Amino acid sequence: MGENIGMAARALLNAALEDLRLVAPRDGWPNEKALLAASGADKVIEGAKVFGNVQEAVADCHAVYATTLRPRDMNKPVFTPRQAMTRIRGQAAKGERAAILFGPERTGLWSDDVAAADAIITIPLNPSFSSMNLAQAVAILSYEWFQTGDGAQLTPPPQRSPRAKQDELRAFMAYLEKTLDEVGYFHPPEKRQVMWHNMQSLFARAELTEQELRTLFGVIKQLALEKDE
Amino acid sequence: MGENIGMAARALLNAALEDLRLVAPRDGWPNEKALLAASGADKVIEGAKVFGNVQEAVADCHAVYATTLRPRDMNKPVFTPRQAMTRIRGQAAKGERAAILFGPERTGLWSDDVAAADAIITIPLNPSFSSMNLAQAVAILSYEWFQTGDGAQLTPPPQRSPRAKQDELRAFMAYLEKTLDEVGYFHPPEKRQVMWHNMQSLFARAELTEQELRTLFGVIKQLALEKDE
């Protein structure tokens, strides 16, 4: 189905993968629906190569992995997506090219194509409902590929304001304590220490930024003024 | 879109997740297209609850995670799917319920809904093409949820035949060596040891089963017979 091919192409490019090979696509090629469903991953669709059978499609690859939903009765290593991608990264580091085979949505891969593969990749799923959409399976394997690479570290978002330093936090806490004293918050007096420790923990845990500290200063100041009037 | 809701429901059930909550679905509810796209995950669709806004939808949850493709300029912890799911498993073990928010395909989540969340989940993706389909994002997060649980171990497929023991392997290797000697394979004689060591390594690495060993016995026997005739 063109839609599945397009969505698979989109999933590939999200993981910086571009080499898409199609074996005897049902609706011919090129396919307008595939381009539409790719949502901008045009270069994967336009660069896709079409082959008559699996054997030709993987001819220049060193390793071949077949994806199946359920383990088949074959004497072949079975890997989870994570295990497989770690392995393929290792193979790629030696200059070896790996192919990952996906079968059509409804039928899955032919047994002959699974038998000719080096190994099987199976996504561990709910044993009472394993029914994965083709493009979702491609998305999960692509995702795992990207996670095993160097690019998968999240860069922390730019903070609008740097984190407050301990002396700034202490200045705020001192102001807060003084103000709470003035308004008679610490009651009864024997609970004072526990109450204050709890409040210190709360603000310490929050990892406040300088900006947030200024905001809190303003809030307390304003509340104290209200109280005075 | 009904199709996206249906495909998301299917992805959830693949990870044994069933609690789907919809906020103001565009095309109303129930939606025939959602049921079709769910491909059998009917109970998730039929059990889906509809809310007027995000606040109501998460009212009975303890933790709220917002999924965004790009980190937003908010001072909030950002987790990868794997980090988030490990965290949510920990929260679940304490009896805390976590909600994961997904925005509409085209627009993503409203900033207000992201701001009200405890933390952000971002899928690390190709920096030059991050355009994830809603249902694929749900599939990846559901997949990571399942992987962090106990059910995610692959059970090795039943071997048709148990692995051959060392004495069986040695008997085959002895037969092979004798036969190769008879046909004058080891030539020149000074290379004999290296040639034989290479062959031993090859068969040792293959982790042959008893069945495969019997097959190889037959192959060698037949070849030797041909040679004799």
Side-chain angles (χ1 to χ4, degrees):
Chain A
M1 272 177 64
E3 287 85 348
N4 272 335
I5 298 172
M7 288 199 293
R10 183 177 177 184
L12 287 174
L13 194 54
N14 269 309
L17 293 166
E18 302 186 17
D19 190 357
L20 174 62
R21 302 177 180 200
L22 305 170
V23 174
R26 191 191 68 179
D27 303 328
W29 196 259
N31 181 321
E32 194 53 40
K33 283 185 182 165
L35 199 62
L36 267 173
S39 291
D42 298 13
K43 65 174 166 179
V44 178
I45 294 293
E46 282 155 11
K49 297 177 211 72
V50 179
F51 297 87
N53 57 51
V54 169
Q55 206 180 324
E56 289 168 22
V58 304
D60 67 337
C61 299
H62 301 83
V64 178
Y65 294 81
T67 55
T68 70
L69 264 189
R70 266 160 289 273
R72 310 230 186 155
D73 185 19
M74 291 184 187
N75 187 24
K76 228 176 250 301
V78 180
F79 298 111
T80 64
R82 198 166 301 168
Q83 290 166 339
M85 293 306 161
T86 305
R87 210 176 142 89
I88 294 173
R89 288 267 173 202
Q91 293 169 330
K94 291 185 285 174
E96 296 174 9
R97 188 196 291 269
I100 302 176
L101 309 180
F102 293 88
E105 167 101 23
R106 219 162 288 271
T107 58
L109 285 170
W110 286 89
S111 286
D112 279 358
D113 293 326
V114 178
D118 308 345
I120 287 174
I121 304 176
T122 294
I123 307 176
L125 292 174
N126 182 0
S128 58
F129 185 83
S130 310
S131 155
M132 184 135 287
N133 165 264
L134 169 58
Q136 286 178 346
V138 174
I140 286 173
L141 266 73
S142 304
Y143 160 80
E144 279 290 9
W145 167 257
F146 200 74
Q147 303 319 299
T148 53
D150 297 332
Q153 299 308 311
L154 284 180
T155 43
Q159 290 203 334
R160 257 184 304 213
S161 166
R163 183 167 170 187
K165 292 182 202 69
Q166 287 299 313
D167 56 354
E168 295 165 326
L169 182 61
R170 268 208 310 276
F172 167 71
M173 294 305 291
Y175 177 70
L176 179 63
E177 188 175 17
K178 177 174 142 286
T179 311
L180 290 178
D181 258 333
E182 287 169 7
V183 300
Y185 169 81
F186 294 112
H187 182 84
E190 63 271 25
K191 288 262 174 81
R192 182 196 169 95
Q193 198 181 22
V194 172
M195 291 167 85
W196 183 238
H197 279 176
N198 286 343
M199 190 119 17
Q200 281 180 310
S201 298
L202 186 162
F203 284 107
R205 207 174 55 229
E207 302 188 5
L208 298 166
T209 66
E210 292 176 356
Q211 176 61 54
E212 288 167 338
L213 215 50
R214 282 194 292 274
T215 303
L216 287 172
F217 250 119
V219 167
I220 303 301
K221 202 167 216 161
Q222 194 60 33
L223 288 172
L225 277 177
E226 286 290 315
K227 191 85 187 178
D228 288 347
E229 278 163 13
Chain B
M1 270 175 67
E3 286 85 349
N4 271 335
I5 298 173
M7 288 198 294
R10 183 178 177 184
L12 287 174
L13 194 54
N14 269 309
L17 294 167
E18 302 186 16
D19 190 358
L20 174 62
R21 302 177 180 200
L22 304 169
V23 174
R26 190 192 69 179
D27 303 327
W29 196 258
N31 180 321
E32 194 54 40
K33 283 185 183 165
L35 199 61
L36 266 173
S39 291
D42 297 13
K43 66 174 167 180
V44 178
I45 294 293
E46 282 155 11
K49 297 178 211 72
V50 179
F51 297 88
N53 58 50
V54 170
Q55 205 180 325
E56 289 168 22
V58 303
D60 66 338
C61 299
H62 301 83
V64 178
Y65 294 81
T67 56
T68 71
L69 264 189
R70 267 159 288 272
R72 311 233 184 152
D73 185 21
M74 290 184 186
N75 187 23
K76 227 175 250 303
V78 179
F79 299 111
T80 64
R82 200 166 301 168
Q83 291 166 338
M85 292 307 160
T86 305
R87 211 177 141 89
I88 294 174
R89 288 267 172 202
Q91 293 170 329
K94 290 186 285 175
E96 294 175 11
R97 188 196 294 267
I100 301 177
L101 308 180
F102 293 87
E105 166 102 22
R106 219 162 288 270
T107 58
L109 286 169
W110 287 88
S111 287
D112 279 359
D113 293 326
V114 178
D118 308 346
I120 287 174
I121 303 176
T122 293
I123 306 177
L125 292 174
N126 182 359
S128 59
F129 185 83
S130 310
S131 156
M132 183 134 287
N133 164 263
L134 169 58
Q136 286 178 346
V138 174
I140 286 173
L141 267 73
S142 303
Y143 161 79
E144 279 289 10
W145 168 256
F146 200 73
Q147 304 318 300
T148 54
D150 296 332
Q153 299 307 311
L154 283 182
T155 45
Q159 290 202 333
R160 257 184 304 213
S161 166
R163 183 168 170 186
K165 291 182 202 69
Q166 286 299 313
D167 56 354
E168 295 164 326
L169 182 62
R170 266 208 311 276
F172 167 71
M173 294 304 292
Y175 177 70
L176 179 65
E177 189 175 16
K178 178 174 142 289
T179 310
L180 290 177
D181 257 334
E182 285 168 8
V183 299
Y185 170 81
F186 294 112
H187 181 82
E190 62 271 26
K191 289 261 175 81
R192 182 199 168 93
Q193 198 181 23
V194 171
M195 291 166 85
W196 183 239
H197 280 176
N198 286 343
M199 190 120 19
Q200 282 181 311
S201 297
L202 186 162
F203 284 106
R205 207 174 56 230
E207 302 187 4
L208 298 167
T209 65
E210 293 176 355
Q211 175 61 54
E212 288 166 339
L213 215 49
R214 281 193 293 274
T215 303
L216 287 171
F217 250 119
V219 166
I220 302 303
K221 203 166 217 163
Q222 193 61 34
L223 287 172
L225 279 178
E226 287 291 317
K227 191 85 186 175
D228 287 346
E229 282 161 12

